[in-house]
């Protein structure tokens, strides 16, 4: 299960809307206890993909490192990654699965016509062969 605090959720939705019609991406900072990940902060990140960004995102490794350091400085961890799907549903695509990390939750925000529509969270297995939905509260 992943719980996202309102202030973090608002940042995630704002970033997804601001990047529309391109995919946004970012990190979720928080902590995990008793199988529940609690997101305390969201950090919008630059989509470093050099092609059309309507259906692809790539995290910048230097920015990822900076966010990891920021999280540690706050006594938190990066518990997940978020990104948007412009004008389609919040599903975990084959590309998402192939580029996932099994130690992160992945929240996908559906943005239709520039407005947030719905979201789902996924937790990939260690083989990156499937990513079942996980309970998402925001």
């Amino acid at each position: 299960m992943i719980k996202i605090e309102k202030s973090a959720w608002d940042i995630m939705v704002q970033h997804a809307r601001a990047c529309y019609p391109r995919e946004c991406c970012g990190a979720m900072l928080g902590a995990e206890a008793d199988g529940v990940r609690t997101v305390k902060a969201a950090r919008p990140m630059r989509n470093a993909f050099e092609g059309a960004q309507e259906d692809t995102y790539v995290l910048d490794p230097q920015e990822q490192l900076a966010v990891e350091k920021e999280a540690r400085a706050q006594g938190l961890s990066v518990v997940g990654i978020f990104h948007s799907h412009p004008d389609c549903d919040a599903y975990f695509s084959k590309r998402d699965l192939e580029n996932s990390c099994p130690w992160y939750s992945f929240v996908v925000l559906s943005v239709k016509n520039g407005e947030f529509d719905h979201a789902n969270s996924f937790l990939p297995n260690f083989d990156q062969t499937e990513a079942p939905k996980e309970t998402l509260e925001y």
Side-chain angles (χ1 to χ4, degrees), residues 31-87:
E32 185 172 353
D34 301 321
V36 177
R37 293 176 179 191
T38 302
V39 176
K40 304 275 188 187
R43 292 297 174 261
M45 296 172 70
R46 177 179 74 85
N47 184 342
F49 184 67
E50 294 185 5
Q53 296 180 353
E54 288 77 14
D55 65 355
T56 305
Y57 78 95
V58 172
L59 297 173
D60 178 303
Q62 296 288 27
E63 195 173 11
Q64 272 186 282
L65 183 60
V67 170
E68 289 279 355
K69 288 179 181 179
E70 175 187 341
R72 281 194 304 275
Q74 295 177 23
L76 302 172
S77 300
V78 174
V79 297
I81 302 297
F82 70 92
H83 75 278
S84 61
H85 279 185
D87 293 323

Side-chain angles (χ1 to χ4, degrees), residues 35-135:
V36 177
R37 293 176 179 191
T38 302
V39 176
K40 304 275 188 187
R43 292 297 174 261
M45 296 172 70
R46 177 179 74 85
N47 184 342
F49 184 67
E50 294 185 5
Q53 296 180 353
E54 288 77 14
D55 65 355
T56 305
Y57 78 95
V58 172
L59 297 173
D60 178 303
Q62 296 288 27
E63 195 173 11
Q64 272 186 282
L65 183 60
V67 170
E68 289 279 355
K69 288 179 181 179
E70 175 187 341
R72 281 194 304 275
Q74 295 177 23
L76 302 172
S77 300
V78 174
V79 297
I81 302 297
F82 70 92
H83 75 278
S84 61
H85 279 185
D87 293 323
C88 66
D89 290 328
Y91 66 96
F92 210 59
S93 71
K94 182 179 182 216
R95 183 180 299 138
D96 293 336
L97 182 60
E98 290 169 350
N99 295 307
S100 66
C101 301
W103 50 88
Y104 289 147
S105 292
F106 286 84
V107 173
V108 181
L109 296 91
S110 170
V111 179
K112 296 182 179 177
N113 296 316
E115 295 299 325
F116 171 74
D117 188 69
H118 66 281
N120 288 304
S121 186
F122 302 89
L123 193 57
N125 65 7
F126 280 96
D127 297 328
Q128 292 174 284
T129 55
E130 62 181 357
K133 278 187 185 179
E134 68 177 330
T135 303

